[in-house]
Amino acid sequence: MTSQHPTPGDARPGGRTARNTAAVLQATLDELGERGYGAITVDSVAARSGVHKATVYRRWGGVDGLVRAALEHSTERHWEPELTGSLYTDLLRLVETVTSGFTEAPEREVSAAAVAAAFESEEVAEALHRFMSDRHRRAAVIVTEAIARGEAPRGTDAEEVIRSAIAPVYYRLLISREPVTADDLRRAASITAAAAAAGTFTGTPGPPTP
Amino acid sequence: MTSQHPTPGDARPGGRTARNTAAVLQATLDELGERGYGAITVDSVAARSGVHKATVYRRWGGVDGLVRAALEHSTERHWEPELTGSLYTDLLRLVETVTSGFTEAPEREVSAAAVAAAFESEEVAEALHRFMSDRHRRAAVIVTEAIARGEAPRGTDAEEVIRSAIAPVYYRLLISREPVTADDLRRAASITAAAAAAGTFTGTPGPPTP
């Protein structure tokens, strides 16, 4: 054995365990994207990753555990929103990014499959919730920067601003099953930025003030 | 045979064919809600409805055809939004109705199952799209009445107002997997009513005017 081939069970980053984990979770995402949650098996993930299926069963327990771990693995990846200097353009870049995640390779099929799998498994639904909560938190810097620039009042619920901007994109793509146009994205960003400026995301909501 | 037991193939409303259709489509919705799309079979729908499975195969072709027909059957049902006299309260009632459709029996499981099934079948996805488009059209009266009262300018895209109000509810329940509170509903209605009043749903969207 050389340093290229560490001993079994080596848990160092870059060691065999780490490589096996990365291979298995990537194979899970690939299977999820290409075949969907209903068609994934521990056998297919093991075969695709080149890791023995007894190892896969021992570490992840089954398909739900694999999908949950793959989503958690995605959560840990570095992601931060682009900051462009204004709330409207930051939100516009954000909704453009969300849209391309559902319409462009390589994430396209996986994003929809993760949402679909959450309907089938409580374990996956909880992992999806944690993944989305993490994204809300990371994207919130868009709003804290806007507050610092005076574009929205102090006390603005930053994560709620993020939800408000991205919800129409998810709604069209996954619920009403309609295309998302550039105008749709501009409208989502515009409505949310205007509502934030008007203080709608602070305190208790009620009827709009004329 | 009496008038209570029409001849086979009788297609009159209330005749045997109509009763069989209603029984099969209701059984499909029940199976969808209780067991999910992945577990429905023509056999289970036939058994539950009391209609022979050869008849089910002949008329609906298979599970996708059954789920599509059941959604189309739901589309034909009478539904109209409640009109309360102001855009904000009309939108609030609408989002309350959408939320209870996902959280209260008997629609609860079926609504989520239809969205889930659309990920698995293009035929179901198209039926869901038609169902949601029909709902957008029916709910649009909320906005045309608001325009008539002067609460929103002429040229307001009524269906887009509806999407904007309901998207955050679907997002929380089915994507980020979070509870929907009364404040969330008030905020969704308030933001949308304010944006409609400001003319955001007319013409080409762009940066908000300060």
Side-chain angles (χ1 to χ4, degrees):
Chain A
M1 295 234 177
T2 71
S3 60
Q4 308 272 238
H5 299 87
T7 50
D10 184 343
R12 286 183 297 120
R16 176 146 135 188
T17 300
R19 283 202 314 275
N20 279 355
T21 297
V24 167
L25 299 185
Q26 189 56 53
T28 302
L29 291 174
D30 291 344
E31 286 283 294
L32 193 62
E34 287 171 26
R35 310 177 64 200
Y37 177 78
I40 298 185
T41 61
V42 169
D43 279 18
S44 68
V45 169
R48 185 164 197 147
S49 65
V51 173
H52 199 282
K53 81 178 180 186
T55 307
V56 176
Y57 271 114
R58 195 173 57 240
R59 279 221 35 210
W60 290 281
V63 169
D64 286 3
L66 281 168
V67 174
R68 185 186 68 178
L71 274 177
E72 283 167 357
H73 181 65
S74 305
T75 307
E76 285 156 19
R77 276 188 208 160
H78 182 71
W79 179 83
E80 59 184 42
E82 207 176 310
L83 296 173
T84 61
S86 89
L87 180 57
Y88 169 72
T89 51
D90 282 1
L91 292 174
L92 184 57
R93 285 297 301 133
L94 178 69
V95 293
E96 285 169 351
T97 305
V98 169
T99 305
S100 57
F102 279 98
T103 54
E104 286 166 26
E107 302 95 336
R108 184 178 55 182
E109 302 299 337
V110 175
S111 309
V115 175
F119 287 97
E120 310 283 329
S121 155
E122 193 53 44
E123 193 172 350
V124 175
E126 285 165 15
L128 178 64
H129 169 69
R130 286 191 296 271
F131 178 83
M132 297 308 300
S133 298
D134 177 71
R135 283 292 195 258
H136 298 161
R137 266 192 301 275
R138 294 193 199 204
V141 64
I142 287 175
V143 185
T144 51
E145 294 282 316
I147 294 169
R149 284 190 303 266
E151 286 192 81
R154 285 181 192 287
T156 295
D157 182 338
E159 294 182 22
E160 191 57 27
V161 174
I162 301 303
R163 286 189 196 87
S164 173
I166 66 181
V169 175
Y170 284 92
Y171 179 77
R172 282 178 174 267
L173 292 174
L174 304 180
I175 312 293
S176 64
R177 302 266 167 186
E178 300 173 274
V180 173
T181 67
D183 270 3
D184 295 329
L185 298 179
R186 282 193 283 268
R187 188 177 285 111
S190 181
I191 290 172
T192 303
T200 314
F201 296 99
T202 58
T204 307
T209 37
Chain B
M1 294 234 179
T2 72
S3 60
Q4 308 273 229
H5 298 87
T7 50
D10 184 344
R12 286 182 297 120
R16 176 146 135 188
T17 300
R19 284 202 311 276
N20 279 355
T21 298
V24 167
L25 299 184
Q26 190 56 52
T28 302
L29 292 174
D30 292 343
E31 286 283 294
L32 193 63
E34 287 171 27
R35 310 177 63 200
Y37 177 78
I40 298 185
T41 62
V42 169
D43 279 17
S44 69
V45 169
R48 186 164 196 145
S49 66
V51 173
H52 199 281
K53 80 178 182 187
T55 307
V56 176
Y57 271 114
R58 197 173 56 240
R59 280 223 31 213
W60 290 282
V63 169
D64 286 2
L66 280 168
V67 174
R68 186 186 67 177
L71 275 177
E72 282 166 358
H73 182 66
S74 305
T75 307
E76 286 155 19
R77 277 188 208 159
H78 183 71
W79 179 82
E80 58 184 41
E82 206 176 312
L83 296 173
T84 60
S86 89
L87 180 57
Y88 169 73
T89 52
D90 282 0
L91 291 174
L92 183 58
R93 285 296 301 132
L94 178 69
V95 294
E96 285 169 351
T97 305
V98 169
T99 305
S100 56
F102 279 98
T103 53
E104 285 167 26
E107 301 95 336
R108 184 177 54 182
E109 301 300 337
V110 175
S111 309
V115 175
F119 287 97
E120 310 283 328
S121 155
E122 193 53 44
E123 193 172 350
V124 174
E126 285 164 15
L128 178 65
H129 169 68
R130 287 191 295 272
F131 177 85
M132 297 308 299
S133 297
D134 177 72
R135 284 292 196 258
H136 297 161
R137 268 192 300 276
R138 294 193 198 203
V141 65
I142 287 175
V143 185
T144 52
E145 294 282 317
I147 294 169
R149 284 191 303 265
E151 286 192 81
R154 287 180 190 286
T156 294
D157 182 338
E159 294 182 23
E160 190 57 26
V161 174
I162 301 302
R163 285 189 196 86
S164 173
I166 67 182
V169 175
Y170 284 92
Y171 179 77
R172 280 178 176 269
L173 291 174
L174 305 181
I175 312 292
S176 65
R177 303 269 167 183
E178 299 172 273
V180 174
T181 68
D183 270 3
D184 295 329
L185 298 180
R186 282 192 283 269
R187 187 179 284 112
S190 181
I191 290 173
T192 303
T200 315
F201 296 99
T202 59
T204 307
T209 38

